[in-house]
Amino acid sequence: MTTAAEQAEEEPQFYFPDVYAFVSDYLAQMIRRRVNGSSATWCPSWWEHPEAGARLSALWLAWEHLRQDPALGMSTWWLHHADPHLRVLMDPDNGPFAACSPKDGHTAYPFDPLPVAARPE
């Protein structure tokens, strides 16, 4: 049976303390795109969008895990995580930031949630 101290040594520590630090200190510095609202867009208040928060949290956790793999970790992260999520997030027509602007900022609740019918009894 392992002790708490042994478990703490076995579990890798996060490099970034939370998703906000990951986005502001790594992702926003690394990703350089023409975010003009027509070819790609971004919302400076990304955390106000539930889908964006969920996707960026998934990106952060995948990055934290894959950074431990010195051979293929970062390539895997870019190809299988960052690229697909960023395509969706930055899509100016259908992405979660479609009504926002990188210059003019956040548009609060521009779209309704997906419709859901009542559960059958």
Side-chain angles (χ1 to χ4, degrees):
M1 183 170 216
T2 60
T3 66
E6 289 171 334
Q7 277 185 329
E9 286 180 22
E10 290 174 14
E11 294 176 17
Q13 298 296 310
F14 283 162
Y15 185 86
F16 293 101
D18 55 38
V19 66
Y20 184 85
F22 170 75
V23 171
S24 62
D25 297 348
Y26 179 75
L27 199 66
Q29 306 308 312
M30 180 67 66
I31 303 299
R32 305 292 173 118
R33 301 283 189 277
R34 181 178 296 130
V35 286
N36 56 11
S38 59
S39 59
T41 194
W42 179 259
C43 182
S45 300
W46 56 266
W47 57 88
E48 295 286 344
H49 300 267
E51 178 185 354
R55 286 179 177 276
L56 291 166
S57 291
L59 274 180
W60 166 53
L61 294 173
W63 186 90
E64 291 288 358
H65 175 76
L66 290 167
R67 74 182 178 88
Q68 303 294 325
D69 176 354
L72 297 174
M74 286 296 96
S75 181
T76 299
W77 182 81
W78 281 106
L79 291 172
H80 298 288
H81 300 276
D83 289 345
H85 281 297
L86 289 171
R87 263 192 301 279
V88 171
L89 287 168
M90 300 179 89
D91 184 308
D93 296 318
N94 298 307
F97 306 141
C100 298
S101 163
K103 291 183 181 161
D104 297 328
H106 176 68
T107 300
Y109 305 107
F111 308 111
D112 293 331
L114 296 175
V116 178
R119 183 188 311 214
E121 297 282 333

